Amino acid sequence: LPVHFKHWLKNEEVEEGRTAVLRCELTKPNAPVEWRKGDTVLQTSDKYEIRQEGTRAELYIYDAEAQDA
């Protein structure tokens, strides 16, 4: 069966310099998730942390700036 979103991403507001967390939930546990900003695929780094457990996927954006929108 194809994977679908149980809970879609929601817009998040965060003060500059803080950590933004984006979350979604899928219908299948541990389905591959690719986080993107435009055409760029995001990878875990000092700026981004990608976590996935079961059906929940999360993207942490550290030290958020206006350009992260």
Side-chain angles (χ1 to χ4, degrees):
L1 294 171
V3 178
H4 297 283
F5 287 101
K6 286 171 67 174
H7 297 282
W8 288 83
L9 286 175
K10 295 179 183 176
N11 288 332
E12 295 290 330
E13 288 188 28
V14 65
E15 292 178 28
E16 284 194 43
R18 304 293 298 250
T19 300
V21 182
L22 302 175
R23 293 180 176 96
C24 65
E25 191 167 350
L26 309 167
T27 55
K28 279 188 180 178
N30 301 313
V33 173
E34 188 172 81
W35 292 93
R36 293 177 171 260
K37 181 180 179 193
D39 292 333
T40 304
V41 176
L42 302 178
Q43 303 291 331
T44 296
S45 65
D46 290 340
K47 179 74 174 174
Y48 305 109
E49 182 179 353
I50 297 168
R51 296 182 189 176
Q52 188 167 356
E53 186 174 320
T55 59
R56 183 177 215 158
E58 299 175 325
L59 172 66
Y60 289 75
I61 304 171
Y62 297 109
D63 196 23
E65 304 171 281
Q67 67 189 30
D68 293 319

